[in-house]
Amino acid sequence: MDDKLIIRGIEFRSRLWVGTGKYKDFEETRKAVEASGSDVVTVAVRRVNIIDRKSENLLDFIDPKKYKILPNTAGCYTVEDALRYSRLAREAGISDLIKLEVIGDEKTLFPDTWGLLKATEILAKEGFIVLPYTNDDPVMAKRLENAGAAAIMPLGAPIGSGLGIRNPYNLKIILETVNLPIIVDAGVGTASDAAIAMELGCDAVLINTGIAGAKDPIAMAEAMKHAVIAGRLAYKAGRIPKKLYATASSPIEGML
Amino acid sequence: MVDSHQRIFISQHKERTLNSRDPRFPSFDFPLYLITDRKLFSAHCVMYIALETILEAGVKAIQLREKDLSVKELLDMAFWMRELTREYDAKLFINDRIDVALSVQADGVHLGQNALPVSAAREIAGGKLLIGVSTHTIEEALKAERDGADFITIGPIYDTPSKLQYGPPIGVDTLRKVKSRVSIPVYAIGGIKLERVEEVKEASADGIALISGILAAKNMKATTEAFLRLLQ
C-alpha cells in the first residue's frame, strides 16, 4: 500500500512526527525517537544545539541521514526572531524546512497569528518550506496557504496541555478548505488522541510532550506509533455511519 | 579563526556596513547593563541572535563574560560582539581580559576581584577603556573608587543562581550605604526581578546589571522593554 506523505516533493516515511524537548538527555531522546518509528524530528533551534559541532550536539545522537531534521522557532515571540532563527537553521545547513512558531502569549503559548502570517510570507518568498504552527482557525489556515505555507500545523489543544483534539469540527473544516497537508501540532496527550486526529483525515501528527512527559516515554512513543498507523488505516478504510439502534452483526435475512 | 557557527552569524550580517567611528565616552547613559552567559543558549550564534533582540529592545551596554573560554575563543566572540553592539550604538565591555578589550576596541573592561588591579589596567589602557569593577562589600566598593574605577557593580543584592559563589545576598541596605559613600556610578546586580526594580531604584542605584533576568526570560524582548520602562 503506497500511502506516503509528501510535502513539496519530500517523502515522509512516517505520519508521526516527534519533538526533542523535555527529555532527560540526548540518549533518552534518541531511544524515544527510535521507538516512535518516526523519520521526522523537530528541534527548537534556540534551545537544543544542532549547530555547534564542537559542543554536545543532538545530531551526534539523531543521525541526520536517517531522520529529517525539522528545525522550529519555538520560543520566538517576534517576527524578527522567528526569521533570524529560521535563517540560522538554513545557513547552518540543517534544512530548508522550518516549523514556524511565532508565540503570542507566554502562558498559553498560543500563536501570534498576525506575526505568523507575516513571517510565513517572508520565508516562503525566501524559498523556505514553511510549516506554520497555528490555531485551529480555518480562516487563518487558508490565509497561511495563500501566503505560501507548504503545510498547515494547527493545534489540537495548547502546547504541552495533553488536552487532545478540542475542536474536531474546526479541523474538519480546515481539512475541507485547505489544499495542503494538515499536521496536528500540539495537544495530543495519549494514543487515542493521536488516533482521533488521524481518523479525521489529518495527514500527520506531531507529538513532543505527550511522549517525553509520559512516565515511560519509550513505551508511549511506541503506543503513539501504533495509534497513528491505526488512525490512518481507519480513515482510509472508511468508518461505518453512527446509528442509534442495533444492527445485527450476523444478519439472518435471506437465510431462511 | 572563524568557527562555522560564527560564519553563519557573519553571513546574516554581511549586508551591513562596518561602522568605524571612534567610541565616545565616558557617559553613563545606560541604566541596564546586560552580562552574557552563553551556557543559557544552545550555540554561540543563538546567543548572538538573542543579544540582537535585546539590543533592538534598547539595551545600550553589554558585558561579554565567558570566563571559561580560551582567550582565542573569547577574542572571536568579542569581535562579533563588537560588530553587533556597534550596529546598535551600544557599549561593549569585556570581562577581565583587557588585552581582548583593547584588541577589539571595546568601550571598556570589567574587572573581577581576582583580575588585574584597576591601577595596572589603567596603566595599560590609558584613556582608551572605561574600567568597571565587580564588588561585593562596602570595602571593595570604596577601594575600587580609590583605585580609579569608572563604575562598579555591587551584589548579589538578592538570591540568584548565577551568583551563589559570592556568598549570601547583601541586600539593598548595603547598596544604599555604598551609594552614600562613592560618587562613581553603581550598578546593582544579583537576582533583580521586575518587581524588585523599584526597591533598587529607591536605594539610589544608577542602574541594574542582569544576566538570567533577561537571558533566561521566555520573552526576551518584552522582558527587556519592561525593565527599561521601569528604569526610566
Side-chain angles (χ1 to χ4, degrees):
Chain A
M1 188 183 67
D2 200 26
D3 181 34
K4 284 211 175 83
L5 169 61
I6 298 170
I7 299 173
R8 294 275 165 85
I10 303 173
E11 270 191 24
F12 297 87
R13 202 175 60 233
S14 162
R15 289 177 183 273
L16 169 61
W17 295 9
V18 292
T20 50
K22 299 174 193 165
Y23 287 101
K24 206 168 67 220
D25 49 31
F26 284 167
E27 183 53 26
E28 193 187 54
T29 315
R30 186 190 63 76
K31 283 185 184 150
V33 170
E34 220 168 80
S36 76
S38 175
D39 64 336
V40 183
V41 177
T42 187
V43 184
V45 180
R46 248 187 80 164
R47 301 196 189 112
V48 179
N49 180 27
I50 49 171
I51 290 160
D52 182 359
R53 295 312 292 244
K54 286 193 305 192
S55 319
E56 191 178 49
N57 189 315
L58 179 68
L59 301 187
D60 296 333
F61 293 78
I62 309 273
D63 182 359
K65 286 189 202 90
K66 251 171 82 187
Y67 297 95
K68 293 177 183 73
I69 305 298
L70 173 58
N72 71 62
T73 60
C76 291
Y77 284 80
T78 63
V79 174
E80 291 73 27
D81 261 12
L83 296 178
R84 284 187 195 123
Y85 285 109
S86 303
R87 291 166 184 156
L88 180 69
R90 179 154 85 170
E91 284 169 37
I94 305 297
S95 179
D96 285 349
L97 289 161
I98 187 80
K99 180 165 103 72
L100 186 62
E101 297 187 21
V102 182
I103 302 299
D105 175 53
E106 281 179 38
K107 205 169 166 183
T108 59
L109 298 179
F110 279 137
D112 169 357
T113 48
W114 176 86
L116 183 70
L117 187 62
K118 269 181 77 163
T120 299
E121 207 170 355
I122 294 167
L123 291 173
K125 277 196 189 121
E126 291 179 12
F128 281 87
I129 302 169
V130 187
L131 317 177
Y133 155 73
T134 183
N135 281 320
D136 52 4
D137 171 357
V139 176
M140 186 46 68
K142 196 71 196 165
R143 286 196 172 210
L144 289 164
E145 179 183 17
N146 294 337
I152 306 294
M153 303 191 72
L155 52 77
I159 294 175
S161 70
L163 286 173
I165 310 301
R166 299 320 300 155
N167 200 335
Y169 305 103
N170 274 26
L171 286 183
K172 270 190 176 169
I173 297 170
I174 293 173
L175 284 161
E176 253 177 55
T177 53
V178 175
N179 301 312
L180 293 174
I182 306 298
I183 299 150
V184 166
D185 180 6
V188 172
T190 187
S192 54
D193 296 335
I196 286 170
M198 295 310 292
E199 284 168 14
L200 283 170
C202 294
D203 297 276
V205 181
L206 192 149
I207 306 171
N208 185 15
T209 312
I211 295 173
K215 264 191 202 151
D216 182 346
I218 320 292
M220 186 57 94
E222 202 182 337
M224 293 295 190
K225 171 171 96 177
H226 295 304
V228 167
I229 293 170
R232 179 68 185 176
L233 280 173
Y235 167 73
K236 299 277 278 187
R239 61 153 300 147
I240 59 161
K242 291 181 184 178
K243 282 184 210 149
L244 187 55
Y245 294 105
T247 14
S249 302
S250 315
I252 46 169
E253 282 161 49
M255 288 188 73
L256 293 174
Chain B
M1 191 199 71
V2 178
D3 292 340
S4 60
H5 49 287
Q6 277 164 345
R7 199 168 297 121
I8 293 156
F9 175 76
I10 302 163
S11 73
Q12 286 205 10
H13 287 75
K14 65 190 166 206
E15 303 298 324
R16 294 163 180 170
T17 51
L18 280 176
N19 180 353
S20 57
R21 74 179 167 78
D22 290 324
R24 311 287 316 155
F25 53 79
S27 68
F28 283 85
D29 47 0
F30 56 92
L32 203 166
Y33 185 31
L34 186 98
I35 301 171
T36 67
D37 180 359
R38 72 180 197 292
K39 289 181 178 147
L40 293 168
F41 300 92
S42 59
H44 290 189
C45 48
V46 170
M47 181 170 86
Y48 296 144
I49 291 179
L51 293 175
E52 190 159 15
T53 304
I54 291 159
L55 288 162
E56 254 175 10
V59 164
K60 288 292 175 200
I62 295 182
Q63 180 195 140
L64 180 63
R65 181 182 185 271
E66 304 295 343
K67 284 183 175 288
D68 56 331
L69 282 183
S70 73
V71 68
K72 205 167 135 192
E73 289 171 305
L74 185 70
L75 186 68
D76 269 349
M77 286 196 89
F79 180 79
W80 295 110
M81 290 293 302
R82 175 72 287 185
E83 293 296 297
L84 192 57
T85 46
R86 208 170 248 161
E87 196 174 322
Y88 288 89
D89 210 15
K91 288 189 173 63
L92 174 67
F93 295 85
I94 308 295
N95 184 270
D96 284 1
R97 299 299 304 236
I98 194 165
D99 45 356
V100 173
L102 286 169
S103 159
V104 302
Q105 294 178 299
D107 297 285
V109 64
H110 192 104
L111 305 170
Q113 286 295 321
N114 295 323
L116 215 54
V118 177
S119 53
R122 188 63 80 199
E123 185 76 23
I124 297 165
K128 286 186 189 158
L129 295 174
L130 288 166
I131 299 178
V133 176
S134 295
T135 69
H136 315 98
T137 62
I138 300 176
E139 292 68 38
E140 285 176 2
L142 292 172
K143 183 174 187 318
E145 181 176 51
R146 255 195 333 269
D147 292 348
D150 292 299
F151 69 103
I152 56 169
T153 58
I154 182 130
I157 307 294
Y158 305 103
D159 263 326
T160 165
S162 50
K163 285 281 169 188
L164 280 179
Q165 50 180 321
Y166 300 111
I170 58 167
V172 280
D173 285 340
T174 308
L175 168 64
R176 202 173 283 116
K177 279 181 202 145
V178 166
K179 265 306 288 180
S180 69
R181 295 179 63 180
V182 306
S183 50
I184 53 175
V186 176
Y187 287 81
I189 187 168
I192 300 169
K193 300 194 160 57
L194 281 168
E195 59 272 21
R196 289 166 172 165
V197 170
E198 201 47 47
E199 193 180 28
V200 171
K201 268 168 82 177
E202 271 168 21
S204 62
D206 295 280
I208 63 169
L210 294 168
I211 307 175
S212 56
I214 286 183
L215 297 184
K218 280 185 192 154
N219 186 344
M220 286 189 210
K221 184 163 184 263
T223 306
T224 306
E225 286 168 348
F227 270 112
L228 287 171
R229 253 195 316 277
L230 289 175
L231 286 165
Q232 260 173 20

